[in-house]
Amino acid sequence: MADDKSTRTDKNAAHHPVDHAALAGSVKASLNTAKQKTDALRRRDSQLFTANVVSPAAATLLAALATVIGGNQMFPQAAAQVDDGGWKLACALVAVFGFIATISSMFKKQFGDRLTQGNQCVGELLKLDLEITTGVRSWDAAAKEYGEIVKTYPEFIS
């Protein structure tokens, strides 16, 4: 690894030598980008997990309390304004929490799948970065591997 340009070429790029510094820089930049995007997905996934746990729990608790206490007694102001207003409010809140639970579970699945892909991308880039740093892999093989990672995970790298 004494010079910045390799005179070796791979089969797909017969006349394009691998620029060592550019490849190493691209891998590091892609790794940073993939880490940032994966961290953002992880935060959103955690928020959806919380909504996915709290919403159905709140709906169940609210329904149970309304059953035991009575909707009109739980929400006396609503009961004073409309016939069975407390019950209507209790039912509406249970429905809203149930709706939030349903929607958050759908998004949780989607974000969970993308988070898995992001983690895989970061793992492959970390491995490649380590191989480049330690010189375990030839520059041509590293360039080919990087191209495969870019093709497989474009949404995490660009």
Side-chain angles (χ1 to χ4, degrees):
M1 288 197 226
D3 60 335
D4 258 358
K5 298 238 183 199
S6 171
T7 55
R8 287 180 282 146
T9 57
D10 67 21
K11 294 175 188 143
N12 295 330
H15 302 297
H16 303 285
V18 176
D19 182 336
H20 297 176
L23 177 61
S26 291
V27 169
K28 286 191 184 304
S30 294
L31 177 58
N32 286 334
T33 299
K35 280 181 178 179
Q36 289 173 354
K37 289 183 178 184
T38 302
D39 286 344
L41 282 172
R42 188 174 292 108
R43 284 189 299 276
R44 180 59 48 111
D45 188 66
S46 293
Q47 292 168 344
L48 289 168
F49 174 78
T50 301
N52 211 12
V53 171
V54 171
S55 291
T60 303
L61 179 63
L62 188 59
L65 288 174
T67 301
V68 172
I69 299 171
N72 288 333
Q73 284 71 34
M74 280 180 62
F75 301 108
Q77 290 177 338
Q81 292 179 3
V82 178
D83 250 0
D84 286 331
W87 281 105
K88 290 176 182 177
L89 179 57
C91 290
L93 290 172
V94 168
V96 167
F97 284 125
F99 178 76
I100 291 170
T102 301
I103 297 301
S104 67
S105 68
M106 179 190 68
F107 284 118
K108 171 83 172 88
K109 171 75 172 122
Q110 290 176 347
F111 274 89
D113 292 346
R114 290 193 64 220
L115 181 58
T116 298
Q117 290 177 338
N119 285 331
Q120 289 170 342
C121 177
V122 168
E124 289 183 33
L125 286 168
L126 279 170
K127 178 180 173 247
L128 182 59
D129 185 48
L130 181 62
E131 290 173 348
I132 289 172
T133 302
T134 60
V136 171
R137 187 178 282 225
S138 75
W139 286 102
D140 293 333
K144 184 177 178 185
E145 175 69 18
Y146 180 62
E148 290 299 316
I149 293 170
V150 169
K151 278 195 284 188
T152 304
Y153 305 104
E155 67 274 13
F156 293 100
I157 293 174
S158 57

